[in-house]
Amino acid sequence: MDRPALAASARSANARSAPDRLLAVLAAFDHTHPALSLSDISRRAGLTLSTAHRLVAALTDWGALERDGSGTYHVGLRLWEVAALAPRGLALRQVALPYLEDLYEATHENVQLAVRDGHEVVYTEWLSGRSAVGVHIRVGARWPLHVTGVGLVLLAHGVPELQEAYCARPLTSYTAHTITDPVRLRRMLAEVRRTGVAVSSRQVTDDALSVAAPVRGPDGAVTAAVSVVVPHAHAQVPVLAPAVRLAARGISRALGWQPQGRQD
């Protein structure tokens, strides 16, 4: 990069507010980049090396980042402590875990808990089952709402404005079975609301099927979703659906939900 370009890059970085630059450093880390050198952070955050150095030092002093013996940086435990306070993160996981474990013992299949973040589903817990399926989920992983059982539940129980905005955007396809027709997606969302469960069949990989149900908060609003993921070839939806519903209702009650007639 020549000097004029470097100067322009520096001016652009300096134009960003201090909080924006600090958040850019943290955003440089993700599941595919869990460990970064200072130069990696500088490049991925779009910051000059000197600015990145100053911000990384401050974050390391506070505990948001940790530096190992080779000079590589990782996300620090202080962020984990803060994340534990999030009602839709580790706090939700702590309440839900006994019911997720019961669901696993009843099915011995892959069990997951997820929440919505914008147009994506974010997984807050995953218990790996005995069945081998192509979908490999990590805590913190994200998928578009329309391709997973938990995502369909969260979209189906979202406000109408969310559903309309989502159906108006391009629907990413992962397999030949992925729903890409907004008319079909709307029909599926209506069916999820009617039955209280969502079934996502071979939408992410050709061998997996998920059955999901809504988790409600104290006010009755759907705040999360729980599901099992099984091999499509051996899936028994009529058997799995009641078990998933029961787990979802148990988590909902533990969160303070009081059913007023049939809501899910």
Side-chain angles (χ1 to χ4, degrees), residues 23-255:
L23 292 173
V25 170
L26 295 177
F29 294 85
D30 58 27
H31 281 291
T32 57
H33 301 88
L36 297 171
S37 67
L38 182 61
S39 60
D40 291 333
I41 295 172
S42 172
R43 175 178 51 81
R44 288 178 54 78
L47 300 170
T48 63
L49 193 59
S50 60
T51 298
H53 181 271
R54 176 170 53 81
L55 295 176
V56 165
L59 288 168
T60 302
D61 287 343
W62 187 74
L65 297 179
E66 295 177 357
R67 186 173 184 267
D68 64 24
S70 68
T72 302
Y73 291 89
H74 309 260
V75 173
L77 287 177
R78 187 71 180 273
L79 284 185
W80 182 263
E81 294 173 7
V82 174
L85 303 175
R88 296 197 305 154
L90 295 178
L92 170 63
R93 174 189 176 277
Q94 184 175 11
V95 171
L97 192 56
Y99 301 94
L100 301 178
E101 291 173 339
D102 286 346
L103 180 58
Y104 172 80
E105 290 299 326
T107 64
H108 293 292
E109 300 289 359
N110 301 280
V111 173
Q112 50 191 315
L113 179 71
V115 297
R116 181 178 68 84
D117 184 22
H119 287 176
E120 295 178 314
V121 61
V122 180
Y123 293 90
T124 58
E125 185 55 274
W126 172 276
L127 303 181
S128 182
R130 296 175 182 174
S131 298
V133 293
V135 183
H136 299 289
I137 297 297
R138 296 182 301 265
V139 172
R142 294 170 175 263
W143 283 94
L145 291 172
H146 68 286
V147 301
T148 67
V150 285
L152 288 169
V153 164
L154 294 166
L155 183 57
H157 291 280
V159 296
E161 293 79 8
L162 167 68
Q163 296 172 24
E164 288 304 312
Y166 195 92
C167 289
R169 67 201 294 266
L171 301 176
T172 304
S173 177
Y174 295 91
T175 72
H177 306 280
T178 303
I179 299 172
T180 57
D181 178 8
V183 174
R184 184 183 170 201
L185 178 57
R186 288 189 181 94
R187 287 199 299 265
M188 178 171 281
L189 297 178
E191 184 69 5
V192 171
R193 291 189 294 272
R194 185 184 72 81
T195 63
V197 294
V199 178
S200 176
S201 179
R202 296 180 288 174
Q203 289 214 77
V204 178
T205 63
D206 286 320
D207 65 340
L209 177 145
S210 66
V211 180
V215 172
R216 299 180 183 275
D219 61 355
V222 173
T223 59
V226 61
S227 74
V228 292
V229 179
V230 303
H232 172 266
H234 307 296
Q236 296 182 335
V237 175
V239 175
L240 294 171
V244 176
R245 280 200 198 97
L246 183 63
R249 287 178 68 90
I251 299 169
S252 300
R253 287 178 180 272
L255 290 173

Side-chain angles (χ1 to χ4, degrees), residues 7-20:
S9 177
R11 286 195 299 270
S12 176
N14 290 334
R16 297 155 67 183
S17 69
D20 285 342

